[in-house]
Amino acid sequence: MANPVLDKIAVGAEKASYARTPNGYPAMPGYTPQGQAAPQGSVDYAPQGDTGYGYGSTAYQQPQYQPQPYQTGQQPGFDMAYDRTGYGADAVTVDDVIVKTGLLLGLTVISAVVSWYLTLTSPQLGLMLGVGGAFVALILGFIIIFKSSTNPGLISTYMVAEGLMLGAVSLMFETEAPGVVGQALIATGVVFAVTLLLFRSGKVRNSSKVQKFALIGIIGILVLQVLDLILTMTGVIDNPWGLEGMTIAGFPLAGLLAVFVVLVGGASLIGDFDSVQRAAQAGLPKKSAWLLSFGIMLTVIWLYVQLLRYLAIIASSRD
């Protein structure tokens, strides 16, 4: 998947979804829960006409398997009727992830607002908050990703640091292009809501092709922006935005890139939502909701920052 955090969650969900006994222990090959039919093709050792109770008796004859319609997990999107065999009442649910994502989003927004107003009153302080927040977020982000940490305090601290950076950066773009922050926020919210509705309705599904597109898209955008940084620093291109600030037949290239970012962000969110669904189906522990929410927030923040950048470039090209 494009999101390294939820990629690990998905792998864990696959491992946890293997068959288990009623007590939650892994089932051995050939295991059949008590009161259920044996798999089709099982061997009947009872000879014809034997009515005793010894070896080979018909009393021990295994019943023939009768296929039953599958009852859970068939509805498109988020199906709440999961059979969580791993952790029972302590298994993660979609609602758990929704609540945790809301909490992390709230922390990020509050932190960003504080950083915004502190930067307004003291630009130097705002610069320190932005750089310091970015540095702390980078360190904590690597720790959370590589350790697959579900520690609420660690993840919440990351979001606060991320918010400090976003507040300072957002004010910088707003100063250059008034109104661009509101546009980026609305666009990000619309992309998130539309993608979620499409996923829940079953009209869009996650697949390896979707995630390859998202991964290649994210890497491609990163490479382009690094290349632009090198070209502008070396003076090869006079435009402060580099290649992204160019126009094609009078149309800003940033407009096309913004559409591409929306598609890549939507594909990444589809993978994120699918990981949440699979984690709930597999019955992963409830604490994994923090890591799932962290992964969703990474995608949302990436989408917002990219849209903010390209909307600012479009606005500057009109001047």
Side-chain angles (χ1 to χ4, degrees):
M1 293 184 183
N3 193 320
V5 177
L6 300 188
D7 190 16
K8 293 184 179 181
I9 288 286
V11 172
E14 290 181 356
K15 293 180 179 179
S17 62
Y18 296 148
R20 295 175 178 270
T21 67
N23 291 328
Y25 297 103
M28 299 299 292
Y31 167 77
T32 303
Q34 185 177 2
Q36 295 185 13
Q40 187 175 10
S42 59
V43 179
D44 179 12
Y45 293 101
Q48 295 294 328
D50 186 359
T51 58
Y53 291 92
Y55 175 80
S57 168
T58 55
Y60 294 94
Q61 181 177 352
Q62 299 185 29
Q64 294 296 318
Y65 172 71
Q66 297 295 330
Q68 298 295 327
Y70 188 62
Q71 299 297 328
T72 62
Q74 291 184 331
Q75 298 300 321
F78 291 133
D79 182 6
M80 301 299 181
Y82 296 137
D83 179 19
R84 297 186 297 273
T85 59
Y87 288 84
D90 292 328
V92 67
T93 64
V94 174
D95 287 342
D96 292 332
V97 179
I98 293 174
V99 171
K100 301 300 188 299
T101 303
L103 291 173
L104 296 180
L105 178 61
L107 285 174
T108 306
V109 171
I110 292 173
S111 178
V113 170
V114 171
S115 176
W116 175 293
Y117 282 102
L118 289 177
T119 305
L120 275 177
T121 57
S122 175
Q124 186 175 5
L125 176 60
L127 178 62
M128 292 175 59
L129 289 174
V131 175
F135 178 76
V136 173
L138 180 64
I139 300 299
L140 294 182
F142 278 122
I143 293 175
I144 295 170
I145 291 173
F146 287 108
K147 294 185 63 176
S148 296
S149 176
T150 57
N151 187 306
L154 190 63
I155 294 175
S156 298
T157 303
Y158 170 87
M159 290 303 164
V160 171
E162 190 79 18
L164 293 176
M165 183 272 293
L166 288 175
V169 170
S170 297
L171 181 59
M172 179 185 70
F173 278 103
E174 184 70 14
T175 302
E176 294 294 328
V180 72
V181 170
Q183 296 172 9
L185 286 173
I186 293 174
T188 302
V190 169
V191 173
F192 183 90
V194 170
T195 305
L196 179 58
L197 289 175
L198 290 175
F199 182 80
R200 291 195 64 176
S201 68
K203 296 185 182 299
V204 295
R205 292 289 189 180
N206 188 35
S207 67
S208 59
K209 291 183 179 180
V210 170
Q211 293 313 301
K212 284 180 181 178
F213 167 75
L215 181 60
I216 293 173
I218 291 174
I219 295 175
I221 292 171
L222 177 62
V223 170
L224 174 61
Q225 292 178 353
V226 171
L227 178 61
D228 277 344
L229 180 63
I230 296 174
L231 293 176
T232 53
M233 290 182 64
T234 56
V236 176
I237 295 181
D238 295 333
N239 192 308
W241 299 106
L243 297 173
E244 296 166 297
M246 296 176 58
T247 58
I248 301 177
F251 187 81
L253 178 61
L256 298 176
L257 291 173
V259 174
F260 181 67
V261 162
V262 168
L263 296 176
V264 172
S268 297
L269 286 171
I270 290 172
D272 296 345
F273 298 150
D274 182 63
S275 295
V276 173
Q277 178 174 282
R278 292 165 67 185
Q281 286 176 324
L284 294 185
K286 189 177 290 289
K287 63 181 181 180
S288 62
W290 286 103
L291 191 58
L292 289 162
S293 300
F294 171 77
I296 292 174
M297 285 298 300
L298 285 185
T299 302
V300 171
I301 291 172
W302 177 87
L303 178 60
Y304 166 73
V305 171
Q306 298 305 319
L307 287 175
L308 182 64
R309 175 183 175 85
Y310 290 126
L311 289 173
I313 296 176
I314 294 173
S316 65
S317 65
R318 296 172 182 169
D319 298 337

